[in-house]
Amino acid sequence: MTVNTSHHKDYVSFFRQSSPYIHAHRGKTFVIMLGGDALTHENFTNIINDIALLSSLGVRLVLVHGARLQIDARLREKNISSHFHKGRRITDKQTIEYVKDAVGNLRALIESKLSIGLVNSPMHGARIRVISGNFVTARPYGIHNGIDYQHTGEVRKIDHQAVHHLLDSGYVVLLSCLGLSPTGEIFNLDVEDVATFTATRLGAEKLILFGRQQGIFNGHSELISRISPSEAEGCLKTMTSDNRRLLNAAIAACKGGVARSQIISFKEDGALLRELFTRNGAGTLISRDHYEEIRRAAIEDIGGILALIKPLEKKGVLRRRSRKELEREIRLFSVIVLDGMIIGCTALHPFPDGKTAELACLVVHKDYRSGQRGDRLLEHTESLALSQGIEKIFVLTTQTAHWFAERGFIEVSEQELPEEKKVTYSYKRQSKVLIKEPAREVV
Ligand code: ARG
């Protein structure tokens, strides 16, 4: 007997889902940005533990921290008002002292938190070695519109060789919003600027940005799970300034060659692990890569297609197809691939007349049915049909006739089927037959 409570099941399926990512992330470089607000949030301890876990899984980590909140608090305490111009702080002689003070304090906080042994756990004794140094060279931001920004600077250089060397030796590298100039001056930098510059210069795989919200939301207050850098640029105008900073950093990193930028919440316990080790993540992924794509199937996809359609064959929703049959017909299939996993497929079988085809085996994985993927597969197949000169597509279905009817298919008698198909039509299954002329406007 197999004992499998639902609790165990969740655990087992989570672990199985995460294993490809454990493998994929090992040896990769991730830059993680934590603003000052994240560092004093109660969830920060959990974040640190998850960072320690990442490091022990062999991820090469660079942490970049800011101090905006803490600088503001210090200035407020001393009744000093800070001046901003176009969203950038003007750091005068007095202010830079408080910046140094705040950053130094935070560095000590992060280093100490990373040094706490995880008592009573198998991680106890796993030592995280963290290091910081003079890796960021800055230059003055300068004078703009007659306003001298003084000690406000921008990144000029990152000593990427030194950082790589330290990562190779197993260190977690800690950078901050302070930069140094060759003349010995200290500059206050935008933490986002340091993070994107570092990620780009190091050739990091990921830039992870911790923000106040779960990720980026669209106009209907829905979380955007994945967006391309160019689509993201279109959203910038409607954002709050905090989100704009994060999204701008994510876009800049992607443009600089970082494969994936990911925005998650510093308030949510476990968001980092969920984002990194599940397929759907926890926040917003900004990437140019083929995180989810729809394409013609290839021979390597057969295993994935079989895994997808088996449950439906068992239920009798689909007719059975053998591996052999799939191998023969693989070029007729299209698939939706989500981060390497096939979550949808369909096939288009043309008939010898060259003008009719059967749309078959349209399936979307049960966990991914909410994203209109069936519609995308249908659109994709219709445009494929058009490009092949097909004028009529028909489907045979026992259970989903209404879905097709809602999409312009019209029910007809099985007598309308092409001769070849009539021969194989199974009267036992009593499938409904529906026909559609592919829509020209569909691209
Ligand atoms: N875990 C994967 C990664 O780290 C996928 C994350 C997907 N995230 C998302 N918000 N859609 O790259």
Side-chain angles (χ1 to χ4, degrees), residues 232-414:
E233 274 179 333
C235 299
L236 282 172
K237 280 191 279 324
T238 57
M239 308 254 120
T240 60
S241 65
D242 276 357
N243 281 345
R244 199 174 312 131
R245 274 177 196 278
L246 293 174
L247 204 54
N248 260 325
I251 296 169
C254 288
K255 287 193 170 161
V258 176
R260 293 181 176 193
S261 300
Q262 285 151 286
I263 301 178
I264 53 176
S265 160
F266 61 73
K267 297 180 181 171
E268 182 193 326
D269 185 13
L272 182 62
L273 297 185
R274 215 149 60 78
E275 179 61 29
L276 292 177
F277 296 103
T278 67
R279 210 164 263 120
N280 294 337
T284 301
L285 164 70
I286 298 95
S287 77
R288 262 191 319 209
D289 68 1
H290 299 304
Y291 171 65
E292 181 169 339
E293 62 169 345
I294 194 162
R295 58 162 170 78
R296 302 288 286 272
I299 203 88
E300 307 72 51
D301 298 326
I302 289 177
I305 297 178
L306 277 171
L308 180 67
I309 63 181
K310 269 276 138 6
L312 293 161
E313 289 182 356
K314 280 202 185 121
K315 279 204 214 147
V317 180
L318 289 178
R319 72 168 178 79
R320 286 188 187 273
R321 285 175 175 77
S322 66
R323 182 178 278 268
K324 274 247 144 46
E325 191 179 342
L326 268 181
E327 275 171 16
R328 239 183 0 254
E329 295 186 341
I330 191 68
R331 61 185 181 86
L332 306 178
F333 274 80
S334 296
V335 283
I336 301 189
V337 188
L338 176 67
D339 222 10
M341 175 182 172
I342 295 188
I343 58 161
C345 73
T346 190
L348 185 72
H349 295 265
F351 277 84
D353 68 359
K355 300 219 175 319
T356 0
E358 178 186 356
L359 175 87
C361 202
L362 177 70
V363 178
V364 176
H365 188 288
K366 66 172 180 16
D367 296 346
Y368 298 94
R369 295 221 172 116
S370 53
Q372 304 203 309
R373 294 183 171 92
D375 287 285
R376 287 182 49 213
L377 274 168
L378 184 61
E379 279 175 22
H380 170 84
T381 313
E382 283 188 33
S383 62
L384 216 66
L386 274 178
S387 70
Q388 296 171 6
I390 285 162
E391 292 165 3
K392 265 188 198 148
I393 301 180
F394 64 87
V395 283
L396 273 79
T397 172
T398 52
Q399 300 191 6
T400 54
H402 61 281
W403 190 88
F404 287 103
E406 281 163 18
R407 283 151 184 89
F409 280 79
I410 294 164
E411 196 176 331
V412 294
S413 128
E414 75 277 359

